[in-house]
Amino acid sequence: MNRGLFIVFEGIDGTGKSTQLPLLANFLRNRGLVVVETREPTDGPYGQQIRALYSNRNQGTPQQELELFLQDRRQHVRQCIQPALDQGKVVLSDRYYFSTAAYQGAAGLDPKAIFARHAFAPQPDLVLLLTQTPADSVARIRNHRGDVLNDFEQQDQLEKVAALFASFEHDCIVRIPAARPIAEVHASICQAVLSLLTNKGVRCSD
Ligand code: TMP
């Protein structure tokens, strides 16, 4: 089977994932690879329900929230991720099941049990886990995005989420310090991805 490469960006809110993902996509396209950029929650029906939760998280229980993220992910895998991997493409996803284990784990569910619900989900070849302190994240969301913090982004909640991300020990995770200039973070990401390409024997132009 001609399987592509699956690379996931993870981390607490405000670490610059959505800035870095398109930069990596361009870097890979310039080397002749076919890249699909995607994200979770998706823009599909379940993703839209999840986004409606942002403004008022008390609408549902953590368990109901988890089920919505799982339904969204099942559809995402079936309609987008797996077909692209089958076609040999490079899939870049802004968030995946590590976010569920960290965020719904922080909401009181068992992260191990959450990982165990993902037998249906292809495992990423590389997880770029962008790290910075929750205080830096909150400052960045406020100053740079000019946003009011949504219910997922409150600092006490982010502290719990960050602690869970820090506890994950999967071999596919590479931690990238994110409280640095965009170009420096991008360079670290490219280095991690180039070593993945070399390990996988993927040929690309310089
Ligand atoms: P984002 O679109 O800004 O990344 O926001 C998505 C929010 O949803 C973010 O605060 C993290 C949260 N989230 C979960 O709680 N569980 C999940 O499984 C995913 C994918 C996201």
Side-chain angles (χ1 to χ4, degrees):
M1 193 166 78
N2 190 14
R3 190 180 182 275
L5 281 179
F6 188 17
I7 300 173
V8 169
F9 284 76
E10 290 282 15
I12 58 173
D13 303 80
T15 46
K17 295 181 295 303
S18 52
T19 302
Q20 292 294 335
L21 189 149
L23 294 178
L24 177 61
N26 282 346
F27 175 84
L28 294 172
R29 287 191 184 112
N30 288 339
R31 279 157 183 75
L33 298 172
V34 180
V35 179
V36 172
E37 295 172 61
T38 188
R39 66 170 184 166
E40 293 187 0
T42 69
D43 295 320
Y46 298 114
Q48 284 173 27
Q49 281 187 57
I50 291 165
R51 286 179 200 287
L53 275 180
Y54 286 9
S55 52
N56 182 7
R57 218 178 159 183
N58 296 327
Q59 280 171 7
T61 65
Q63 192 63 44
Q64 286 168 332
E65 215 172 72
L66 170 66
E67 299 307 326
L68 268 184
F69 280 111
L70 282 167
Q71 280 173 302
D72 190 41
R73 184 157 305 122
R74 275 206 190 83
Q75 196 170 58
H76 191 206
V77 166
R78 199 173 52 239
Q79 295 182 350
C80 171
I81 297 172
Q82 194 63 60
L85 292 177
D86 290 346
Q87 291 163 20
K89 296 177 181 168
V90 180
V91 177
L92 303 183
S93 183
D94 187 338
R95 298 194 182 280
Y96 198 47
Y97 56 66
F98 300 84
S99 279
T100 321
Y103 282 83
Q104 279 59 58
L109 303 181
D110 175 8
K112 282 207 179 79
I114 293 173
F115 281 123
R117 300 270 317 263
H118 284 87
F120 70 91
Q123 288 180 20
D125 297 291
L126 177 63
V127 176
L128 298 160
L129 177 50
L130 273 53
T131 61
Q132 72 183 12
T133 64
D136 279 350
S137 273
V138 167
R140 185 165 168 169
I141 293 165
R142 287 217 174 97
N143 298 340
H144 294 238
R145 253 172 43 190
D147 282 1
V148 176
L149 301 185
N150 70 40
D151 284 358
F152 286 88
E153 295 171 336
Q154 299 303 322
Q155 187 167 334
D156 58 339
Q157 199 60 24
L158 286 186
E159 301 278 359
K160 292 187 199 161
V161 176
L164 282 168
F165 271 130
S167 72
F168 299 156
E169 289 177 338
H170 303 67
D171 289 343
C172 54
I173 294 178
V174 172
R175 290 183 162 79
I176 309 278
R180 294 182 292 157
I182 290 172
E184 274 182 36
V185 177
H186 176 59
S188 300
I189 286 173
C190 292
Q191 202 179 14
V193 171
L194 285 174
S195 82
L196 171 73
L197 296 180
T198 305
N199 288 343
K200 295 277 177 186
V202 176
R203 291 209 201 119
C204 59
S205 47
D206 288 331

